[in-house]
Amino acid sequence: MNPVAADPMDARPDFDENNVWTIKRFTSARNALRFYRVMAIITGIMLLALTVEMIVKYVVFPLAGLSGEALAIGGFDLGEAIAICHGWCYVVYLISCFWLNQQMRWSIGRLLLLALAGVIPVMSFILERKTSHRVARELDAAVVVAPVQG
């Protein structure tokens, strides 16, 4: 007697046990990536603005014989406003880095690298692109499991 061959569709698929994600973690990782990307771009723009402001204030103005107070318009100091905005954006950026790092279960070294990107001009743009590709690859390789409905 020939036993009936099992249907290959009923067999358990082969996958790496380390790539098993819950739906909640998978969704949270995608949301963390979106939030991180937005904050990396905003923080990068604010850091570039701060860098330009510093160059103008401490290099261009002294060469032109102007004081750094030329950026003040009335009682509003543009340089100070840019610095404060970048500072607060960087704090939110750090939160986004931490959230993404937690969901992806990366090392503390990766978190420190992400954090460093927010204080080196242009690095946040470069690392945002590389991180987005890495997360996409890891999420594509993920095996998402749903809880059993009882």
Side-chain angles (χ1 to χ4, degrees):
M1 285 197 185
N2 260 345
V4 177
D7 185 7
M9 295 300 286
D10 292 336
R12 181 176 181 219
D14 292 328
F15 57 86
D16 182 6
E17 296 289 332
N18 295 325
N19 284 337
V20 176
W21 293 50
T22 63
I23 290 174
K24 182 179 178 181
R25 180 177 162 220
F26 184 85
T27 304
S28 184
R30 285 189 323 174
N31 291 336
L33 176 62
R34 283 189 200 111
F35 184 48
Y36 164 78
R37 291 185 74 186
V38 168
M39 288 314 303
I41 291 167
I42 292 172
T43 302
I45 290 169
M46 291 308 301
L47 184 57
L48 286 176
L50 182 62
T51 303
V52 168
E53 183 268 331
M54 293 294 215
I55 291 170
V56 167
K57 185 175 184 176
Y58 294 110
V59 177
V60 176
F61 280 1
L63 289 175
L66 300 171
S67 70
E69 296 172 3
L71 287 175
I73 304 166
F76 181 75
D77 186 356
L78 181 62
E80 188 176 314
I82 292 171
I84 291 170
C85 285
H86 173 262
W88 281 108
C89 287
Y90 183 69
V91 169
V92 177
Y93 171 75
L94 287 177
I95 293 168
S96 73
C97 292
F98 181 76
W99 182 22
L100 181 63
N101 199 68
Q102 288 296 107
Q103 294 308 311
M104 299 307 296
R105 297 184 180 160
W106 289 335
S107 68
I108 191 76
R110 167 88 32 201
L111 177 60
L112 293 175
L113 181 65
L114 291 173
L116 186 63
V119 293
I120 299 175
V122 183
M123 188 173 168
S124 67
F125 300 116
I126 296 167
L127 199 57
E128 179 272 325
R129 180 59 46 209
K130 289 184 178 193
T131 301
S132 295
H133 289 301
R134 179 179 178 164
V135 170
R137 281 193 312 271
E138 289 185 27
L139 292 180
D140 287 344
V143 176
V144 183
V145 294
V148 178
Q149 297 293 324

